[in-house]
Structure formats: C-alpha cells, structure tokens
Amino acid sequence: MRVSYFHTPERVPSGSMAAAAVVIDVLRATSTMAWALHNGAEAVQAFANLDELNAAAAAWPQQLCLRAGERGGSRLEGFDLGNSPLAVTAEVVAGKRIFVSTTNGTRALDRVQTAPLLVTAALVNRSAVAKRLLQQAPETVWVVGSGWEGDYSLEDSLAAGALAAALLGQGGMDLKTIAANDELCAAHALWSQWQHQPEQALRLASHGQRLERLGDHDADFACCAAVDSLEVVPQQSEPGVLKSS
C-alpha cells in the first residue's frame, strides 16, 4: 500500500485516480458524518452545489429528509442542521437521509467521487478507517484534506498523520514503506507532535480560531478531538452517498 496526502482537493492530480480515497474534514464535516451514521442516519448525501442539494432533497420523502448546510462555519438559513456533530443525535437523524453541503468537505468528496473505494475519516474514527484500508489492501490510497477554501488546514493534516500512524501500528509497516509523498511524512510528524493534545491543535488551527470567534464551540472541539471514539466507517455506496459500513 502506497499512501499520498493532498492537503486540499485542488492538489489532487487530474486525469487519474487512486484505488482508494479518504476524505478528511475534522472541523467539522467528516466528524459530523461519522456521528450521524453512528446514530442511525440512513445515509449522508453530499453536494458541492446547493441547488442540486435542494432538488434532490425535494424529491425525497420529506418525513425522511434533513437538509444540512454550512458556509463559513455557520448554519445556512432555512436548513434543518448546520455542521455540528452534537446536533446529529439519534432522536434527530435515525432512519433519515441527510442532504449536506459544507464550505470545504463536500467539495473534497466531489473531487474523488470516482475512486473505487471512498471513505471519510476524522480523528473520531481514524483507527476504524485504518482497519478498513488494511482489510481492503488497495495498492494506492489518496488521503485528501478539505482545507479552507483552497488553503492548507492544520486540523486535516493532523488527522491525516493520525491515520498514517494507525496504519503503521495496525499493519506493522514503517513510514518509508507506505509514504508516497513528503506531505504524508509531514502529516505524520505533525501528529507525533500533537498526539497527546489534539484539542489544543484544533484550537490552534486557523479554522479553530474562526469557530471560536463565531461563538461557544467548546463541545464541538471536544467531540472532534476525541480520537477513536467511533467504529463507524462512512463509505460511498453510490456517487455522493455515504453509508455506515
């Protein structure tokens, strides 16, 4: 297995695709998706475009439909949910499909939608994702950070490094064996530095500071920093549709 890390979807090579892709958006899309599926959502359907989201949601049985939208860290007006893992409780999401669009995470999913195996990861489920990759043993894996509007994000690289560490720990390999680019090595080094203080790293990140300016997100930070708190692996079952696996 050879693993590459791209810190934004814009960095993903064009004209080719890896055997597997892992999309990361720690604050907060992939953390929220994992919690929603853990709490019984039927599926999470991701959209980069809001008009497409609204059209698909309108065609779904309304009693089984929730629209989740976020831009700039804030919930979109008129949507049922924003982008917080705390909001997707079992009472709210069980049995329902969540139609979601976020500032960065859903763009990253759209970029690697054609990967034969596509899963999402965050700190909360990084060991479960590593286990799935080792079970499937794809020859090439692209780990894609969502970044912030095309720029590098500290928290996504932290989670990419955490995933790499889990692959090494579970697979009995060394970093030189699996790392296909320097970005993965750098992400692993970042995780080595912050693995005992993940929440502090999230708060140091520019998007963490952005969330702090928007209001009290202490519970979100704690939830998103809770490493290996979930066993769920969101996996694409059809283009744009993620289900628990």
Side-chain angles (χ1 to χ4, degrees), residues 146-178:
S146 297
W148 177 262
E149 297 184 343
D151 290 334
Y152 176 94
S153 70
L154 185 73
E155 70 276 10
D156 291 346
S157 294
L158 182 76
L163 175 61
L167 286 169
L168 298 178
Q170 294 180 29
M173 300 173 287
D174 61 29
L175 189 59
K176 184 182 289 188
T177 300
I178 71 165

Side-chain angles (χ1 to χ4, degrees), residues 56-125:
W60 201 256
Q62 292 307 289
Q63 71 275 17
L64 299 176
C65 167
L66 292 169
R67 292 188 307 147
E70 170 268 325
R71 291 293 184 271
S74 298
R75 172 174 155 180
L76 289 175
E77 184 177 354
F79 277 58
D80 303 298
L81 299 165
N83 192 25
S84 170
L86 303 177
V88 290
T89 62
E91 293 77 13
V92 173
V93 305
K96 297 179 181 179
R97 177 166 295 206
I98 303 174
F99 296 81
V100 61
S101 181
T102 69
T103 307
N104 303 293
T106 50
R107 291 190 305 107
L109 281 164
D110 188 64
R111 177 65 186 85
V112 291
Q113 194 176 88
T114 59
L117 172 64
L118 173 56
V119 299
T120 67
L123 291 174
V124 296
N125 68 337

Side-chain angles (χ1 to χ4, degrees), residues 5 24 126 156-166 184 186-192:
Y5 174 53
I24 296 173
R126 62 98 192 213
D156 291 346
S157 294
L158 182 76
L163 175 61
L184 187 76
H188 184 263
L190 181 67
W191 173 249
S192 297

